[in-house]
Amino acid sequence: MSDGIVAAAVASLAPTLASLLAYTNSRAARREGERNNLGGLAATVDALRQSLHVLEAATGRIEVSVGGLRERVARVEGRLDGASARAAHSGRSPG
């Protein structure tokens, strides 16, 4: 009976080793894939961060331009209000 057990053990050794090697290989491949996905994700996050900085800079420039336009409009409105007030005192229509 011990010959039968030894024969069964020897016969099952090769498939068992093959299964263990296949499992470790698939696990290593999965880990490598996860690393590659994380690398791609990190690159995407960096690209988004750079785009955000560009967008913030553009928004800042627009805010400065809008501030300048507000000042110009206020000056023009002040001139128009001043002309209207002068015209009202002199009895003429502004223009």
Side-chain angles (χ1 to χ4, degrees):
M1 183 122 146
S2 78
D3 288 341
I5 293 174
V6 170
V10 169
S12 68
L13 186 63
T16 303
L17 288 176
S19 296
L20 289 173
L21 286 174
Y23 173 74
T24 56
N25 187 31
S26 68
R27 208 169 148 190
R30 188 177 18 188
R31 284 184 180 171
E32 181 68 25
E34 289 173 359
R35 261 191 298 261
N36 289 339
N37 287 341
L38 289 177
L41 182 61
T44 302
V45 168
D46 285 339
L48 285 173
R49 187 175 295 129
Q50 289 174 356
S51 296
L52 180 62
H53 288 303
V54 169
L55 182 62
E56 287 174 344
T59 303
R61 288 191 302 271
I62 290 171
E63 288 175 350
V64 168
S65 297
V66 167
L69 287 173
R70 283 184 182 151
E71 290 176 8
R72 287 180 181 173
V73 167
R75 275 185 263 149
V76 168
E77 286 177 346
R79 288 182 195 153
L80 291 177
D81 288 342
S84 296
R86 278 179 271 155
H89 288 301
S90 68
R92 293 183 292 160
S93 64

